[in-house]
Amino acid sequence: MNTQDDYIDLLNKTSQFANMGSWKVDLIEDKLYWCPITKKIHEVSHDFKCSIQQALNFYKDPVSKKATSIAYQRAIKKHQEYDIKVKITTAKNKEKWVRSIGIPVISEGKCIKVYGVFQDITEQETQYQELKRQMSLLNDMFLNSHMGVSFADLDGNLFKANRGLCNIFGYEEKEMLTKSFQDLTHPEDLDFSLTYIQQLIDGEKTYHTTEKRYKHKSGKTIYGFLYLSMIKDSFGKPLHFMSQIIDLTQQYETNKKLKSYLNVTTDQNKRLLNFAHIVSHNLRSHSSNLKMLLNLLKIENPELEDNEVIAMVNQSVNNLSETILHLNEVVMIQTSDRKNVRNLNLKEYIVNTIETLSAIIKENDCEIIDTIEEDLAVNFVPAYLESILLNLISNSIKYKSKERRLKLNLFVKKKKKYLILYVQDNGLGINLEDHKKSLFGMYKTFHNHEDSRGIGLFITKNQIEAMGGKIEVESQVDKGSTFKVYFKNEA
């Protein structure tokens, strides 16, 4: 045997262990030889006999067929070895990626044989193509992301930066790559920045996040959220930094404006409350004086007791006093101190309210069903809770239907954020299509009742909202109403 044949024999034996097929073309005899592994790769039978032309037919991909033909002809004519990656279509019509190596055998200046190796690399190539796709995707994200992304050496000098970072700082890419993180960081934040950078280098941290100030090209201060991480080699040695920056400048400027508006609004509210206090105090004094003068006038002139004009003046003074009282209640709600909040047993307050209203409950033959738990508590101002319960229960009695006995259900449901008190009756009901928007308005009434003032629900809503809660209503005319009081659950 010659040296080439020995080498080919060695390749055949090695292929069985390395899953690599060997092949040989004898140009003198015009024969092609495939080893069993090569046949297995092509998915043909063990006794398959193949010509050179038939072998080329497995290359249905035109690019692969052309590359194989060129490489094979160069091996024969120019005596060049080749190592190429191409795609074949097997006998079972399955596409595979293969590595094809060809080595020409030269005798007396002429190629007499070509032998080589055939290896199935489909799995590796599929993984490579997927990795290439992902790398391309990551590169597109890096280049086009609005987030600023950069890489810097251990001294902080930038060597790669995306368009997003350039836009944040106002630099062109070439300018950006002449900068270091020290150049970009606000001077007052530099010492703190150096501290966490050293922690990353020393391995005390794997990443660091913070909001910090930076310097724009124009000299203005900008704000950003930084995610900084350390890239290391396989031995854990620090190589370089990767930073991701989200521009928060607009958010900071918006917050600054909001704070300014809030300060102005707070100041205006304080002035309005002071004005309301002064007005309610002064009006109350004048109202009291009017009432006192009117009483003195009637004492000194008893004949005026039956005077129609005096009676009208007296009614107007009484109405004025009541209005001032209501206004004062509203002012007191708006200036409520959270220090007055207590942990209150809801059941006890409902029982007390029912006892307070026991006379009118009996007079109106009301059935009250209270299923509230004994130990249920809410955080609330005591006076507010008394007022809310009194208003809602007395309203149910006041606006009962004459067609049926009043039935009032009191029960509670619990939600994550709220404890909800239901006050449900079968009274007159409210036309919500007409009155929903004005239901809780001041001096809004919906029934012709002599005691209607239109202030109770207004005050109730303000008291509930002052404590962080809310009130809702469901109602049908001549069916009844359900008021739902949402107490903020702070448990």
Side-chain angles (χ1 to χ4, degrees), residues 306-322:
D306 299 324
N307 187 286
E308 187 178 346
V309 174
I310 294 298
M312 292 170 64
V313 171
N314 188 59
Q315 184 60 46
S316 296
V317 170
N318 289 335
N319 290 343
L320 178 61
S321 298
E322 186 179 1

Side-chain angles (χ1 to χ4, degrees), residues 20 60 120 177 181 192 208 281 329 345 418 444 487:
M20 295 173 64
K60 292 184 179 179
D120 184 353
L177 298 182
F181 88 90
F192 175 66
H208 182 80
H281 177 270
E329 283 188 56
N345 184 293
Y418 297 101
K444 301 295 182 181
F487 295 100

Side-chain angles (χ1 to χ4, degrees), residues 87-105:
K87 189 189 292 184
I88 65 167
T89 302
T90 70
K92 294 182 179 180
N93 206 33
K94 183 178 178 181
E95 286 190 345
K96 288 185 178 181
W97 282 96
V98 295
R99 181 185 181 191
S100 180
I101 298 173
I103 302 169
V105 177

Side-chain angles (χ1 to χ4, degrees), residues 201-212:
I201 293 173
D202 295 340
E204 295 177 20
K205 288 184 172 184
T206 55
Y207 68 91
H208 182 80
T209 59
T210 186
E211 289 185 14
K212 59 179 288 188

Side-chain angles (χ1 to χ4, degrees), residues 154 181 192-202 228 230 241:
L154 298 182
F181 88 90
F192 175 66
S193 300
L194 289 170
T195 300
Y196 60 71
I197 284 172
Q198 192 60 48
Q199 289 174 333
L200 287 168
I201 293 173
D202 295 340
L228 184 66
M230 172 66 72
F241 295 103

